[in-house]
Amino acid sequence: MKLHTVSLEELPKYKIEITDDEMITQVATISANNDREIGEAIMKAVKVVGKDGVITVEEKYGQGVEMEVQKGFQINSGIVHPWFATNPDKLEAEVKNVPVVCVQFKVTSFSDIKAFLVKMTSERVNQVVLVAPEISYEALNVLLEARKTGEFHCVAIKAPYVGERSLEYIEDIAIYCGAEVVGPNGTMTDLTDNHIGTARRVISNRKFTTFVEGDGDEEKIKARISAIKSQFDQVESEFDVEKLKER
């Protein structure tokens, strides 16, 4: 234990700040199995999205390396059941130009999910992304049955973490997608058009979900980011700091 403590105290003395493009390229090249071309592409991506941005590397057919920049928002949580996947091989759901509904209460009853389906079908919506703190087996079975019959495709996503932190993430997603959130004391019968946001693309697997080009108001998004940044001075634990950075 003493050795462990001393090591952690000594580590900062040996750290090297990554300060220029060449250093970023070197680190990225090592991470890319010493592929310099990919390393340089990652360096350019970092310059575009910033150090807090999300960068992914994917295989493609053909020659050369291409970079595609998309405005998006990623959470560390995904689809609640593999049957929601549109790509079974990758266990991944991808939907485009999709409505997004965010609720801060647990979806547990048949009546709740029935009210949700009625509202969506009345809006002539046949696919939607639903984000909630928890979705019970009873409600889940109704959504899966609608998915199997082809009547309605809901990509159900469990919000990351629990308690207040989970509710904060749901609020983040709602603002990003241009929706009002249904609060923790609400029900699906409270759903109005104002509670339905949109995203140009949503990709979700069992671990992560990315919302691309949400329809949220730019000023509201900036205000939300500023509010999150202002909380850094109010938290003490490293865990809380990391969670704020994550958001």
Side-chain angles (χ1 to χ4, degrees):
M1 180 63 73
K2 286 184 179 180
L3 180 61
H4 173 72
T5 304
V6 171
S7 297
L8 290 179
E9 291 174 351
E10 291 294 315
L11 278 176
K13 298 179 182 179
Y14 299 97
K15 72 177 181 180
I16 300 174
E17 296 288 344
I18 306 298
T19 56
D20 58 40
D21 293 350
E22 180 56 29
M23 294 177 75
I24 295 172
T25 301
Q26 289 174 1
V27 173
T29 298
I30 293 170
S31 300
N33 199 26
N34 291 318
D35 189 319
R36 176 81 184 186
E37 187 178 13
I38 294 178
E40 290 177 349
I42 291 173
M43 177 272 291
K44 292 175 183 176
V46 170
K47 292 180 72 174
V48 174
V49 304
K51 64 180 182 179
D52 296 323
V54 176
I55 299 172
T56 59
V57 178
E58 297 179 353
E59 275 189 87
K60 77 175 187 69
Y61 294 105
Q63 296 181 337
V65 177
E66 296 178 2
M67 180 175 68
E68 180 181 1
V69 179
Q70 296 179 327
K71 292 183 178 179
F73 175 63
Q74 187 177 77
I75 60 173
N76 295 332
S77 189
I79 49 177
V80 296
H81 196 285
W83 281 5
F84 288 122
T86 56
N87 186 334
D89 293 335
K90 296 174 67 175
L91 282 181
E92 180 179 271
E94 179 176 352
V95 283
K96 298 180 179 180
N97 301 314
V98 62
V100 179
V101 174
C102 300
V103 302
Q104 291 179 319
F105 57 87
K106 297 177 180 179
V107 182
T108 57
S109 68
F110 175 78
S111 59
D112 249 349
I113 212 66
K114 182 179 179 182
F116 173 69
L117 292 173
V118 168
K119 175 61 180 175
M120 292 300 104
T121 52
S122 71
E123 297 291 330
R124 296 185 178 180
V125 171
N126 60 9
Q127 67 173 4
V128 66
V129 172
L130 173 64
V131 183
E134 188 177 314
I135 301 175
S136 71
Y137 286 114
E138 182 182 5
L140 194 59
N141 284 335
V142 176
L143 294 176
L144 290 173
E145 188 60 33
R147 167 88 169 108
K148 285 168 61 179
T149 59
E151 298 173 5
F152 185 80
H153 181 203
C154 175
V155 178
I157 298 168
K158 181 186 181 303
Y161 308 110
V162 295
E164 192 63 32
R165 185 169 281 113
S166 177
L167 302 187
E168 291 288 346
Y169 267 91
I170 294 171
E171 182 80 19
D172 293 343
I173 297 165
I175 291 172
Y176 181 73
C177 294
E180 292 181 11
V181 69
V182 184
N185 296 319
T187 68
M188 288 297 188
T189 57
D190 298 324
L191 275 179
T192 68
D193 292 349
N194 293 334
H195 296 112
I196 304 174
T198 55
R200 189 177 68 81
R201 189 169 165 229
V202 178
I203 310 102
S204 184
N205 54 36
R206 296 307 297 272
K207 293 184 177 180
F208 301 102
T209 301
T210 304
F211 298 84
V212 177
E213 295 185 13
D215 199 32
D217 180 80
E218 199 69 33
E219 292 304 313
K220 289 182 179 179
I221 294 172
K222 288 179 180 178
R224 184 67 172 180
I225 293 171
S226 297
I228 293 170
K229 288 182 176 178
S230 70
Q231 296 178 43
F232 278 95
D233 295 333
Q234 304 169 24
V235 297
E236 297 180 357
S237 74
E238 290 185 14
F239 178 80
D240 287 336
V241 170
E242 284 302 315
K243 296 305 111 180
L244 286 174
K245 286 181 179 179
E246 194 176 282
R247 291 172 61 196

